[in-house]
Amino acid sequence: MKTVEDQLQHRSSVKEELKWDLSAIFNTENEYSQALTDLLKDVEGFVNQYDGKLNRSSKVIEAIKDYEKISAVASHISQYKFLPVTVDITDSQAQEESRYVSNVLAGVNAKLSFFHSQMEDLDESVLDKVSEEAPEFKPFIRLVKTAKKNRLHPKAEETLAMLNPVLDSFSDIFEQARLADADFGSFEVNGTVYPLSFVLYEETYMYHEDKAVRRAAYDQFNKVLGQYKNSIATAYYNQVQKEKTLATMRGFDSVFDYLLADQEVSQELYNRQIDTIMSDFAPVMRKYITHLKGVNGLDKMTYADLKIDLDPEYTASVSIEEFKGMLDDALSVLGTDYVNLINRAFPERWIDFAQNKGKESGAFCSPTYGKQPFILVNWSGQLADAYTLFHELGHAGQGLLSNEKNTLTGSDPSLYLIEAPSTFNELLLTDHLRNKAEDPRMERNVISLMISQTYFHNFVTHLLEAAYQREVYRLIDAGKSFDAAKLGELKRRVLEDFWGDSVELEEGAELTWMRQSHYYMGLYPYTYSAGLTIATQAFLNIRTGEMDATGWVDFLAMGGQKVPVDAAKAAGVDITTDKPLQDTIQYLDESVDRMIELTQLIK
């Protein structure tokens, strides 16, 4: 855990080995500039060659291949200028260059918009012939057929593409407010002054073992955060109103249908995931949090205390070198090829480990077709960081395997499936650590980490985001509006419904809606629990011998070849029923009971 003397370093002071290597995209700025120049020429050539000429299957196949080449280069350019901003939002030059590229690529997308429009205008017999003659494009053709139902006039599509930088700017406003503009100052506990920032709270103080420090940090954090609530609420309102407007323009009856269309799942699957966890998993987490309160000797369990460690004195530190060995052992069940693939992360420098001023909190993996993935973490050397990095490397492995087996237009799986590979890797880590446990205290610590890291984060935190988000979209669907006060009211109600009397929701809990960028990504939050449900069921199937681990690797390489229901079945999971979800909840209930049993043994 960080001490009060720790100060975040400037990006310029970070050692190179702790940074990701963006030269894997472009080796020099000149190479990037040339790629951008060539891209613009290639786009003009694409327009001249294919606009109005997609009249037979062979021409369509040729166009898809060229479109994929252009799209790959565009993504490389975007990543090269976007990623530096994520590690230092205070870098004004990086901001300027990223915005410039965003505007250029908006123009590119506008010029290319004819391609999607004219693909959607094609007779289905032509599309079927393309799938028959070039089966590698079947996933893309499936999406084209879906989009046909809700397409706009080509000029409207072109206009929307041109407006993308503006329409997508609301998340930028949110990020600037919380990471650049907000000055969280410091707070004092027992005569000691502690520095505070958004990242320091999210990555350090939220987990602090000293109750006084943790709760004081929470109070100061929310005091400053609340000063921006009206601005951020306005940005969020514009985001969801944009989505509702687009849903209406495209003929969807509901904003939910519009946002779920790309995921290729129904409202039934979406609502079941939220409703079942809110009702059936809530008692399990209340039992866990009550036990956490008792073991830590707390007078009460407040919202500020939710992320504390069950046994902070026992939590192990993990160096990057130790993590590498842990990675080899835990992932071995997936085979040597998979382990070797993931181990490329270190010599190729996929990972940005450093904690520095201006860096985003949390973590993400950004795959790039035809290039290595890039992973952002804020590594502090705790075992919890190992869980985070296992998670992101799960995304990286899936991206590389999918890109290897699929063309660009068919490489992305549905958002519904996207969190399965990452959370599956976390389960392998837990299984590895439990197998190594030599005494009750060690086993209890591992179970606690599994619940607090894997499931609390993905099955609770993000699920509660989804439940709150659903209420916001219901307001918008009904033609109503909201302000910061209404958002706080909705968030507090969801938290009260889930936690009941087990947690005291002090002032500031309702501001949690201001802390997460997922709300600007459509119906993304619920997919964490959806993916983890699939991952848990597959993990249990492998552990009991019902499925071979190679089946999971095949699932990772599937990309967008199948819709979620069929893709999950290929991984041995039937998401058309609630069995995977109920099995997951039962597994967690048994794990909490085992943790409580171990506590009794330790006493």
Side-chain angles (χ1 to χ4, degrees), residues 101-250:
V101 164
S102 178
N103 287 329
V104 170
L105 293 181
V108 166
N109 290 332
K111 289 183 178 180
L112 295 178
S113 64
F114 82 88
F115 175 65
H116 287 278
S117 295
Q118 292 176 25
M119 285 288 296
E120 291 161 12
D121 282 337
L122 290 172
D123 190 273
E124 292 213 2
S125 63
V126 177
L127 295 174
D128 290 339
K129 194 171 182 182
V130 171
S131 293
E132 181 182 339
E133 295 175 355
E136 67 271 25
F137 297 135
K138 278 185 178 179
F140 178 60
I141 296 302
R142 187 184 74 239
L143 294 175
V144 169
K145 286 183 176 181
T146 300
K148 276 174 69 73
K149 305 168 187 174
N150 304 102
R151 67 186 187 276
L152 301 175
H153 188 279
K155 284 298 181 184
E157 297 287 4
E158 182 179 349
T159 301
L160 288 174
M162 285 292 291
L163 284 170
N164 263 342
V166 177
L167 296 176
D168 291 342
S169 66
F170 308 118
S171 61
D172 293 336
I173 296 171
F174 164 70
E175 296 291 1
Q176 287 289 336
R178 68 169 181 155
L179 294 176
D181 292 345
D183 182 354
F184 291 89
S186 59
F187 62 96
E188 184 176 339
V189 176
N190 297 325
T192 303
V193 176
Y194 295 78
L196 183 62
S197 68
F198 191 97
V199 174
L200 273 175
Y201 180 76
E202 292 277 350
E203 304 293 340
T204 301
Y205 295 121
M206 187 164 61
Y207 307 95
H208 205 288
E209 59 264 27
D210 187 322
K211 176 180 68 176
V213 172
R214 185 174 64 249
R215 292 179 179 177
Y218 174 88
D219 291 341
Q220 173 67 10
F221 178 74
N222 284 305
K223 177 182 177 182
V224 175
L225 200 63
Q227 295 171 7
Y228 296 84
K229 63 183 180 182
N230 294 315
S231 298
I232 293 179
T234 300
Y236 184 41
Y237 174 76
N238 287 332
Q239 169 69 23
V240 296
Q241 190 58 55
K242 172 197 75 176
E243 291 165 333
K244 176 59 178 176
T245 300
L246 290 171
T248 302
M249 288 173 63
R250 295 191 179 280

Side-chain angles (χ1 to χ4, degrees), residues 16-27 72 75-80 83 340-353 364-376 392-393 395-401 403-404:
E16 285 299 307
E17 60 265 28
L18 296 179
K19 299 178 182 179
W20 49 30
D21 182 14
L22 297 185
S23 69
I25 306 177
F26 296 112
N27 196 43
S75 71
H76 301 163
I77 290 170
S78 176
Q79 291 283 70
Y80 188 69
L83 290 173
N340 290 341
L341 176 71
I342 297 301
N343 271 319
R344 285 170 43 195
F346 303 102
E348 294 178 9
R349 286 173 51 201
W350 301 354
I351 308 163
D352 200 275
F353 288 97
F364 67 72
C365 175
S366 184
T368 306
Y369 194 88
K371 301 288 184 179
Q372 68 185 44
F374 293 92
I375 296 172
L376 179 147
E392 301 306 338
L393 285 168
H395 284 306
Q398 186 276 331
L400 287 170
L401 289 169
N403 291 349
E404 182 183 302

Side-chain angles (χ1 to χ4, degrees), residues 20 48 69 72 84 91 182 229 272 274 276 321 353 362 405 521 588:
W20 49 30
N48 293 332
K69 292 175 185 176
D91 186 336
K229 63 183 180 182
R272 183 178 66 201
I274 296 174
T276 302
E321 286 303 313
F353 288 97
K405 298 294 184 180
M521 302 177 186
L588 286 165

Side-chain angles (χ1 to χ4, degrees), residues 2 5-16 18-19 87-88 90 197 199-200 352-359 378-379:
K2 283 186 170 294
E5 290 80 17
D6 285 332
Q7 298 284 340
L8 286 176
Q9 60 190 324
H10 289 282
R11 183 68 180 177
S12 58
S13 301
V14 175
K15 296 178 181 178
E16 285 299 307
L18 296 179
K19 299 178 182 179
V87 294
D88 189 2
T90 67
S197 68
V199 174
L200 273 175
D352 200 275
F353 288 97
Q355 290 184 320
N356 60 260
K357 292 181 179 179
K359 187 174 183 178
N378 284 272
W379 185 268

